[in-house]
Amino acid sequence: MRQVDVVQFGDHLCGWGEGLCWDPDTQLLHLVDCLRNVRGETTLDAPDDLRLIPTPTLPTKVLLSDKADRHLIVLDDGIFAMAETADAYGQVADMPQASSGRFNDATVDPAGRIITGNLGLKANTDGSYWSWQGDGGAGNWSTIATKKGNANGPCFSNDGRTLYFADSPTGNILRYDYDPETGTASNETVFANTFELGGGPDGAAIDTDGYLWSALFGGGVIARYAPDGTLDGTIAVPVRNPTDIVFAGPNLDRMIVVSAMEQPTDDREPSPLAGASFEITGAGVTGLPIGKVRL
């Protein structure tokens, strides 16, 4: 991997930054702060002008939709249409009946389905992955996988036929064969395990070469994996807990990373930049656009 630079992006510190989303239509970068129940939006040229908007419950991800005036946000108890005040969010879909715990990370498949899952704190237990397909009304949920630990970093290959999901408690990034026409996933395999790098896989993004970039929570690095699952390289960031990464900008060539707070350990104090956002420059790669939810 070529020489890169990591610079702080804006001066805001999140309690638990997550859920990055780039909107190419408005040229706005969206993020959430899970700890403080707020979402934020800013431009790439003026990141210090981050606008914070309260959410009614814990937010985890902002999603674009095919309705220009109706973007969505994943909250801990359902999918909601975004609003300017905490009491105005309108529910689009509740959680699946078989779910336990809260929603976590999410993405959109090539057909406009929401791909998401819930937070299970133990490996191979109560976590599940699902897809939601809108039908102009309530829509419906379909199960992708069960007995997982945590739903993180869902993303698709260039052709939309490979789905990746990070099961953070196991350290595994999982790979599925995916049918965009039916929304079904099959042939689960372990694409990579990140524990050898000192952290668990969190948010992720795919570049136009088909390589997967994963933020390693606890590991202080962004790891890049080749399409065959081999490690291509890592980029160190000045915080222990990077949580998500997104390709942004008109050409999708600006890489933004968010992070979360840190707890002191016996041999390490929290970084003063814990919770900050960063931009990775010099990587020389571009990303894939994220789809829009079909409502």
Side-chain angles (χ1 to χ4, degrees):
M1 188 179 295
R2 67 177 66 188
Q3 181 67 38
V4 301
D5 292 314
V6 179
V7 296
Q8 189 173 353
F9 179 78
D11 58 5
H12 179 75
L13 298 182
C14 290
W16 197 290
E18 281 277 9
L20 287 169
C21 177
W22 170 252
D23 185 343
D25 297 326
T26 63
Q27 297 289 293
L28 288 176
L29 179 71
H30 298 271
L31 58 83
V32 302
D33 189 334
C34 305
L35 185 67
R36 296 174 179 146
N37 284 15
V38 295
R39 65 179 177 89
E41 55 186 42
T42 188
T43 64
L44 295 182
D45 294 334
D48 289 342
D49 296 334
L50 178 69
R51 188 167 76 105
L52 297 175
I53 303 160
T55 59
T57 58
L58 185 153
T60 57
K61 186 72 174 184
V62 172
L63 299 171
L64 309 180
S65 87
D66 60 357
K67 304 293 189 292
D69 59 347
R70 199 181 190 204
H71 292 338
L72 306 180
I73 188 166
V74 181
L75 301 179
D76 61 5
D77 53 351
I79 310 294
F80 288 75
M82 293 202 305
E84 293 300 306
T85 59
D87 59 356
Y89 286 69
Q91 191 166 19
V92 174
D94 58 9
M95 292 193 72
Q97 292 183 349
S99 66
S100 62
R102 65 165 173 83
F103 272 131
N104 207 45
D105 206 351
T107 191
V108 183
D109 83 354
R113 301 179 187 89
I114 297 173
I115 307 298
T116 187
N118 68 317
L119 175 70
L121 296 177
K122 295 181 179 180
N124 307 316
T125 54
D126 56 355
S128 296
Y129 306 153
W130 305 288
S131 69
W132 180 88
Q133 183 169 357
D135 60 1
N140 59 82
W141 291 101
S142 298
T143 301
I144 294 175
T146 59
K147 295 184 179 180
K148 302 303 175 188
N150 195 354
N152 260 320
C155 52
F156 284 92
S157 61
N158 307 44
D159 62 3
R161 295 193 172 276
T162 301
L163 168 64
Y164 300 96
F165 246 119
D167 188 9
S168 301
T170 66
N172 290 332
I173 300 174
L174 302 173
R175 180 193 183 279
Y176 298 88
D177 293 332
Y178 190 81
D179 186 341
E181 295 184 3
T182 63
T184 55
S186 60
N187 300 325
E188 176 186 293
T189 58
V190 175
F191 173 72
N193 187 284
T194 68
F195 279 169
E196 65 179 4
L197 299 176
D202 205 323
I206 302 287
D207 65 30
T208 52
D209 294 323
Y211 285 62
L212 184 147
W213 297 74
S214 178
L216 302 194
F217 188 92
V221 299
I222 309 298
R224 187 187 192 223
Y225 291 94
D228 64 0
T230 58
L231 179 66
D232 179 65
T234 61
I235 297 173
V237 292
V239 291
R240 195 183 314 158
N241 297 330
T243 57
D244 200 10
I245 181 170
V246 72
F247 289 93
N251 299 316
L252 297 179
D253 58 354
R254 298 182 66 174
M255 302 170 64
I256 308 299
V257 175
V258 286
S259 67
M261 63 181 183
E262 301 172 4
Q263 297 297 325
T265 63
D266 292 340
D267 58 353
R268 187 173 179 180
E269 288 297 315
S271 166
L273 292 177
S277 299
F278 304 93
E279 181 170 2
I280 297 172
T281 62
V285 296
T286 57
L288 297 177
I290 302 300
K292 297 182 178 181
V293 179
R294 184 174 180 181
L295 295 176

